[in-house]
Amino acid sequence: MKGTVHKCFEKMITERFGLEKWQECLTKVGIDEDHVFMINDDVDEGKTMEFLMAAPGVLGISLPELVDHFSDYWVFSYAPKVYPAYFTGITSAKQFMLGLDNLHIDVTNTIPNAKPPRFKYSWINENTLEMEYMSSRGMVDLFISMGKAIGRYYKNTVIIDKKENNKVHFTFA
């Protein structure tokens, strides 16, 4: 997992829950409380999953709440500042989602060792897009949470329905 994910967690947790909670999350999984993640760091995926399982207990929230907090922070605060080019010229959630696989191809080609999920698209009807989530990480629920945040970011009504463990329907109103 790339360090940018951890950097976003650091900023989100520090701003919403305080520095002490961030440090407690780190020490809970055996990371020094003063550790600084760099955006292009390669972080052990096992350590990332450990962090995801430990942080909700430290923060006093559920895992789905943590995922939603992270998604909102990523979409509204972090990514537009760190990766503004990926938002340039995009005017709707539909347009963003349709470009997500190309965005991830670009990330794979420009950031060493990046392994973001990939997507296959298929239209169910004129308003409903099926996206097949392809990643060994199995973080489709994070993908769904991000999709909801993208809908709010562009102020679009998007109905999201998980059909299978790796297939999600996005209905754009």
Side-chain angles (χ1 to χ4, degrees), residues 1 6 25-31 37 43-54:
M1 183 87 48
H6 295 271
C25 287
L26 291 178
T27 58
K28 186 90 170 168
V29 297
I31 299 172
F37 289 99
V43 180
D44 177 81
E45 294 204 10
K47 195 57 82 174
T48 300
M49 298 314 282
E50 240 184 282
F51 177 87
L52 285 173
M53 296 300 112

Side-chain angles (χ1 to χ4, degrees), residues 16-36:
R16 294 186 180 177
F17 298 93
L19 177 61
E20 299 78 21
K21 289 293 184 184
W22 168 248
Q23 292 171 328
E24 188 178 341
C25 287
L26 291 178
T27 58
K28 186 90 170 168
V29 297
I31 299 172
D32 184 78
E33 70 177 29
D34 295 322
H35 182 81
V36 176

Side-chain angles (χ1 to χ4, degrees), residues 1-15 22 26 34-41 43 48 51 70 73-74 78-79 82-83:
M1 183 87 48
K2 295 310 289 180
T4 195
V5 171
H6 295 271
K7 193 58 143 176
C8 182
F9 266 117
E10 175 187 357
K11 290 181 174 293
M12 184 273 293
I13 291 172
T14 301
E15 286 180 22
W22 168 248
L26 291 178
D34 295 322
H35 182 81
V36 176
F37 289 99
M38 303 305 286
I39 289 174
N40 285 335
D41 283 351
V43 180
T48 300
F51 177 87
F70 175 82
Y73 195 84
W74 181 273
Y78 187 80
V82 177
Y83 307 108

Side-chain angles (χ1 to χ4, degrees), residues 12-173:
M12 184 273 293
I13 291 172
T14 301
E15 286 180 22
R16 294 186 180 177
F17 298 93
L19 177 61
E20 299 78 21
K21 289 293 184 184
W22 168 248
Q23 292 171 328
E24 188 178 341
C25 287
L26 291 178
T27 58
K28 186 90 170 168
V29 297
I31 299 172
D32 184 78
E33 70 177 29
D34 295 322
H35 182 81
V36 176
F37 289 99
M38 303 305 286
I39 289 174
N40 285 335
D41 283 351
D42 291 317
V43 180
D44 177 81
E45 294 204 10
K47 195 57 82 174
T48 300
M49 298 314 282
E50 240 184 282
F51 177 87
L52 285 173
M53 296 300 112
V58 171
L59 303 174
I61 60 176
S62 68
L63 179 58
E65 288 172 316
L66 175 67
V67 168
D68 287 344
H69 280 298
F70 175 82
S71 296
D72 281 348
Y73 195 84
W74 181 273
V75 170
F76 285 90
S77 299
Y78 187 80
K81 290 177 188 162
V82 177
Y83 307 108
Y86 295 128
F87 289 81
T88 301
I90 305 295
T91 60
S92 70
K94 180 179 180 180
Q95 187 181 12
F96 189 93
M97 297 310 288
L98 285 170
L100 193 55
D101 192 57
N102 285 332
L103 185 155
H104 282 180
I105 289 170
D106 186 49
V107 166
T108 301
N109 290 334
T110 58
I111 299 174
N113 300 318
K115 297 174 190 140
R118 296 291 308 278
F119 303 96
K120 285 185 183 174
Y121 300 93
S122 127
W123 286 99
I124 303 304
N125 60 47
E126 68 181 52
N127 295 321
T128 303
L129 175 68
E130 180 177 270
M131 291 180 70
E132 183 178 347
Y133 170 91
M134 297 178 296
S135 172
S136 61
R137 292 183 183 120
M139 300 178 86
V140 71
D141 292 325
L142 173 60
F143 168 58
I144 290 168
S145 182
M146 288 279 193
K148 291 175 182 176
I150 289 291
R152 288 189 299 276
Y153 182 84
Y154 288 103
K155 298 180 173 101
N156 298 148
T157 300
V158 182
I159 299 164
I160 302 174
D161 188 20
K162 183 177 178 181
K163 291 297 184 182
E164 297 176 25
N165 282 340
N166 67 333
K167 291 186 180 175
V168 179
H169 287 187
F170 290 81
T171 302
F172 303 98

